[in-house]
Structure formats: C-alpha cells, structure tokens
Amino acid sequence: MSVPIAGFRQSHVMRSCGPKMSTNLPTNSNSDLGLRFTELVTLFAMLLWSYTDVLSVFYRKWDADPQYSHGFLVPLIAVFILWLRWPKDREDLFRWSSWGVVLLVLALLVRHVSIRYYIEWFEQLSFVACVLGLFAAIFGLSCWKWYTPSVVFLAFAVPLPHTLEVALREPLRRAGTLASTYFMQGFGLPAFATGNSITIGEAKVDVVGACSGLRMMMVFFALSTAVAICASSRPMWQRAMIIVSAIPIAIFSNVIRITLTGTLYALNAPDGAHFLHDHAEWLMMPLALGLHLLELWIFDKLFIPEIVDHRPAGFGDAPAVPLP
C-alpha cells in the first residue's frame, strides 16, 4: 500500500505544480517592458519633431533671458521625479487607454486653434498636454499618480506671456521697494521711497525690473514644487504649504537682497554693494532653502504624526495579574 500512495502523492504534486507555475507568471515581462518603452520613445520622438518650432522658441528664451535660464534643468528634474516615483508593482503598467488618446487629440486641437488665432502661450502649453496624453495612452489611467506630477512639472519650462510677466513684475518691484525701505528705517537708516527708488542719505538705489524678484520667484517656485512632489512621506497639506509658501519666501529673500545692497551704499561701500548685486542669486537661494527647512522643522515640532495600532482589541496585551 505504501508504493501506490507514494506514487499518488508524487503525481498529485506534479499536477498541482504545473498550473501554478503557469498562472504566477508576471503580466509584464522584461520583453513587454522593453517593447512598451520602445513605443514610448518612438512616439515621444515624433512628438518632439512635430513641436520643433515650439522647442526652438523655448531654447532661445532659456538662452537669452536669465529669468528663464532654469528651463534647461526642468526636463532633467522631471525625469528624476519620474524615476523616483517609479511604481514597485508593475502589473498595471503599459495598459493602453483610449482616454489618453482623447487627451492627446484635444491637446493637438488646442494647438491648432492657438496657431490659427496667434495665441503662442496656449500652443506652448499644448506640448505639456500632449506629453500627458501620450503617457496616459501608453501607461493607462491606473498609474496617473506616477507620471502626472513629472509631466505637469514641465510647465515650469514654458515662458510666461509678456503681458502676465509685466503685470507681475511691477507689483513685485513696488512691494520690494516699500518693504526694503521699512527694513532700512528699522535699522536706523534715513531711507525713504520715491516711486521705485530708495534714497538713503546721499545714496540712491533704483529697483529696476531685474530686481523685482520675479526670476527668483519662478526658480524657487519650481524648486519648491519638486521638493513637495518628492516628499511623499509628508501629509498632503504640508506638501501644499511647501508650494504656497515659496511665493512669500522668494519675495522676502529679494527684500533682504535690496536691503543689504542699500545698506552697503549707505555705509559708503559701493564695491560690496556691486558684488552683492551681481552675485545675489548665489546668496538668495541658500537663504530661501534655509527658510524652507525652518518651515519643515516647525511642522515637525507642532504636528506629531499619530501612530495607529491596527491590531485587534486585546491582541498582544498581557492580562493583568493581581499582586498578592
């Protein structure tokens, strides 16, 4: 009786292992991943070719205007965010979605209308929408949390319209002038503002358009957004605060720069004032990042994460034993 039983057990194990080995194969093999990536690269190359005129405008703007020189780094940061957020579970990757095709068609329609009516900014933004539609079509909607932040981050490479740029620059100049004047008055300097000029004794500082802080705001806003996207372990409201607080932090950093420049002029140190004015970006960015770190430190001190015990009631709790 022992031989048939052993034979029965062996055949039963062989029959049970066969189907399990075939059903537990991953849905996306390495060959499938390579094929899908090849399709993605091919379609993305075609998209770049169709937007050659728009990309050339981007390059000229990044190269000629220091306010948009950060545009060269935006695609690299977007790729880094995409790699950092790569999902561990690949079973839902590379699933074609018709909704992505719809988004891609709508983006191309927006581009057509923008070209017809000479709306250059919408045509430039349609490139970002096309990239988003391309990712949605290839990867599907189930992984939108993975690729959407990095694709939307590409919008920071798009230059602002001239009218919007002028509308933002003038209020920033005025705010920087008034706030810097108040700071210098607080330090005991005889400063007063006339328009966008600050008179400190016999010295005079003109807050021109380049000193409005718009460049600092755009660069720091993009950097803060990247930090908020990568800080996935923090609550959503803290990540939103990181993005929102980038605007006042950038304005404050620019005010500090104008205040120090005016103070050096008042102290009859024009060489130091010129050096600070020419190399202010290298000093403002560490100051702004330090204020961000201070903000995160305050969050950690004020809000302690709650540890939730998911064990059943009484699980692992030793019963109380009365002492004799």
Side-chain angles (χ1 to χ4, degrees):
M1 293 296 292
S2 60
V3 175
I5 292 177
F8 170 75
R9 289 179 178 176
Q10 183 178 6
S11 61
H12 176 70
V13 171
M14 293 178 63
R15 287 195 301 268
S16 61
C17 290
K20 288 184 179 179
M21 293 177 61
S22 60
T23 55
N24 289 337
L25 290 175
T27 56
N28 290 316
S29 61
N30 292 332
S31 60
D32 292 336
L33 292 176
L35 177 62
R36 295 305 184 187
F37 267 115
T38 302
E39 295 173 351
L40 176 63
V41 172
T42 303
L43 293 176
F44 190 72
M46 295 173 61
L47 181 64
L48 293 179
W49 176 79
S50 65
Y51 273 88
T52 303
D53 53 343
V54 175
L55 296 178
S56 62
V57 172
F58 288 170
Y59 178 81
R60 290 195 299 269
K61 192 69 173 179
W62 300 343
D63 185 60
D65 194 346
Q67 185 169 292
Y68 298 102
S69 58
H70 65 279
F72 290 104
L73 299 178
V74 170
L76 301 178
I77 297 176
V79 172
F80 174 76
I81 294 174
L82 189 68
W83 171 80
L84 190 64
R85 296 174 60 88
W86 175 269
K88 298 180 180 179
D89 187 9
R90 302 183 182 182
E91 294 184 357
D92 293 332
L93 288 180
F94 302 112
R95 294 189 176 183
W96 288 90
S97 174
S98 57
W99 289 108
V101 178
V102 172
L103 179 59
L104 185 60
V105 172
L106 290 177
L108 293 175
L109 181 61
V110 170
R111 185 191 184 190
H112 174 74
V113 175
S114 302
I115 294 175
R116 182 180 180 87
Y117 293 99
Y118 303 101
I119 309 176
E120 185 179 14
W121 193 51
F122 282 178
E123 180 187 4
Q124 295 171 356
L125 286 178
S126 68
F127 172 74
V128 181
C130 283
V131 176
L132 183 60
L134 186 63
F135 271 82
I138 295 180
F139 293 98
L141 298 180
S142 59
C143 295
W144 70 272
K145 292 183 179 180
W146 165 53
Y147 56 77
T148 300
S150 57
V151 175
V152 175
F153 186 79
L154 292 175
F156 286 106
V158 180
L160 294 176
H162 180 70
T163 54
L164 181 59
E165 186 177 325
V166 173
L168 291 175
R169 183 186 295 120
E170 293 307 316
L172 290 174
R173 288 179 63 190
R174 188 58 181 166
T177 302
L178 294 178
S180 301
T181 303
Y182 293 150
F183 270 64
M184 283 184 278
Q185 289 176 354
F187 294 151
L189 298 176
F192 64 92
T194 304
N196 290 321
S197 299
I198 305 175
T199 303
I200 316 107
E202 297 181 357
K204 185 177 180 181
V205 178
D206 293 326
V207 183
V208 297
C211 300
S212 62
L214 182 59
R215 177 187 179 187
M216 173 65 184
M217 179 182 295
M218 296 184 61
V219 174
F220 193 64
F221 192 72
L223 182 61
S224 301
T225 303
V227 171
I229 293 174
C230 297
S232 57
S233 59
R234 291 188 173 271
M236 183 59 68
W237 70 268
Q238 291 189 12
R239 299 163 68 184
M241 285 297 299
I242 293 174
I243 299 175
V244 173
S245 62
I247 298 177
I249 288 177
I251 296 176
F252 178 76
S253 301
N254 186 55
V255 168
I256 295 299
R257 179 180 69 119
I258 299 175
T259 301
L260 292 178
T261 303
T263 302
L264 290 176
Y265 273 116
L267 296 177
N268 197 19
D271 294 336
H274 285 297
F275 178 83
L276 179 64
H277 181 272
D278 296 337
H279 302 84
E281 289 81 4
W282 299 101
L283 302 176
M284 293 168 61
M285 189 60 67
L287 174 62
L289 291 176
L291 292 175
H292 252 332
L293 293 177
L294 177 62
E295 178 185 15
L296 296 178
W297 179 81
I298 294 175
F299 286 159
D300 293 336
K301 294 299 181 180
L302 292 181
F303 305 97
I304 301 176
E306 181 181 0
I307 301 176
V308 180
D309 191 358
H310 297 283
R311 296 179 300 175
F315 179 79
D317 297 334
V321 178
L323 295 176

